[in-house]
């Protein structure tokens, strides 16, 4: 007789930014734990479809729902498509982040030397995108009277990061938004939590990654971590699985650092 706390049978997942990196790892992790279906979101259709096919190869239903999370209408259509093809969404993973469709993310000048249009691209994905997904998908969870929402934020927002002020502000706002959502949805057996990340390994081919990890730049960066390595996509996926499972059923409104000890939290 099986007693698998992490068995997600009966659940339908919607994972944003799932075409690569941590989002892909999360989608595959949920599929390997018997989720009944996965909607793979990415703003690049070919990436979304490639990951959806990987999930189908595992014997789990999956569809690609390419959309910019900052576009409310596009996310509403994706949520409706998911419900029509897979069933009502019970797991929402807000993973899409960084600079969104404008993939360039770099340290900026000090805040007072930045332009307002520079702030907008970070808020578009990291805050508005989370709000759009919650607005479009929570009604399905309320109707089912069950749900798990996990939003990936950043230690930049939790402790601050110079020259990434707009990004830090957007991530901090997303975490505050999730705490409010936790209070609004708890009565419907819906939990809402955040995972706060520091730097993950860059998405490079194995030889290039190995060369990078041996560089002085990488060693200096890793020296800021108690566990002296960059994060891996599976580190994020494992915590996501925990929060989506029965093991996390009495946890809500929390932000969990998954950061190798870059910073600590009470």
């Amino acid at each position: 007789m099986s007693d698998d706390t992490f068995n997600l049978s009966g659940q339908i997942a919607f994972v944003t930014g799932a075409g690569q990196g941590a989002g892909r790892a999360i989608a595959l992790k949920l599929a390997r734990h018997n989720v009944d279906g996965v909607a793979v979101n990415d703003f690049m259709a070919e990436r979304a479809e490639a990951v959806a096919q990987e999930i189908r190869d595992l014997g789990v239903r999956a569809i690609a729902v390419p959309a910019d999370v900052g576009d409310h209408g596009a996310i509403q259509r994706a949520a409706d498509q998911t419900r029509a093809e897979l069933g009502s969404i019970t797991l929402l993973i807000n993973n899409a982040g960084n600079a969104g469709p404008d993939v360039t993310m770099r340290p900026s000048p000090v805040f007072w030397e930045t332009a307002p249009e520079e702030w907008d691209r970070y808020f578009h994905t990291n805050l508005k995108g989370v709000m759009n997904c919650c607005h479009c998908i929570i009604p399905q969870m309320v109707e089912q009277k069950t749900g798990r929402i996990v939003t990936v934020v950043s230690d930049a927002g939790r402790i601050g990061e110079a020259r990434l002020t707009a990004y830090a502000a957007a991530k901090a706002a997303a975490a505050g938004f999730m705490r409010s959502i936790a209070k609004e949805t708890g009565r419907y057996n819906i939990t809402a939590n955040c995972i706060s990340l520091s730097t993950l390994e860059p998405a490079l081919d194995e030889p290039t990654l190995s060369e990078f990890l041996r560089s002085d730049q990488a060693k200096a960066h890793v020296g800021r971590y108690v566990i002296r390595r960059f994060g891996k996509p599976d580190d994020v996926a494992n915590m996501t699985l925990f929060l989506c499972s029965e093991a996390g059923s009495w946890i809500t409104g929390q932000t969990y650092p998954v950061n190798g000890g870059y910073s600590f939290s009470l």
Side-chain angles (χ1 to χ4, degrees), residues 223-244:
R224 302 163 71 188
Y225 295 80
V226 174
I227 300 174
R228 297 198 183 280
R229 67 170 175 84
F230 290 103
K232 298 177 184 294
D234 262 354
D235 294 324
V236 192
N238 288 335
M239 179 57 82
T240 303
L241 173 64
F242 171 76
L243 291 172
C244 285

Side-chain angles (χ1 to χ4, degrees), residues 31-87:
R32 291 188 178 107
H33 284 268
N34 299 324
V35 75
D36 276 4
V38 183
V40 179
N41 163 263
D42 198 275
F43 62 83
M44 293 182 63
E46 61 273 22
R47 290 200 313 218
E49 178 52 38
V51 175
Q53 186 58 55
E54 286 188 85
I55 293 169
R56 290 192 288 266
D57 290 344
L58 295 173
V60 175
R61 296 184 300 154
I63 59 172
V65 284
D68 174 3
V69 294
D71 181 338
H72 185 277
I75 290 299
Q76 185 64 67
R77 290 188 292 274
D80 292 344
Q81 178 187 351
T82 302
R83 185 172 193 172
E85 297 188 29
L86 298 177

Side-chain angles (χ1 to χ4, degrees), residues 176-220:
F177 171 72
M178 291 302 291
R179 289 191 288 273
S180 294
I181 288 295
K183 289 189 173 183
E184 290 188 349
T185 61
R187 72 189 67 185
Y188 302 104
N189 193 33
I190 298 167
T191 66
N193 294 289
C194 292
I195 298 172
S196 182
L197 298 183
S198 286
T199 307
L200 299 186
E201 283 182 352
L204 303 170
D205 61 76
E206 190 57 42
T208 308
L209 177 61
S210 295
E211 182 179 353
F212 168 74
L213 293 177
R214 290 193 299 269
S215 70
D216 290 342
Q217 176 192 358
K219 289 176 182 177

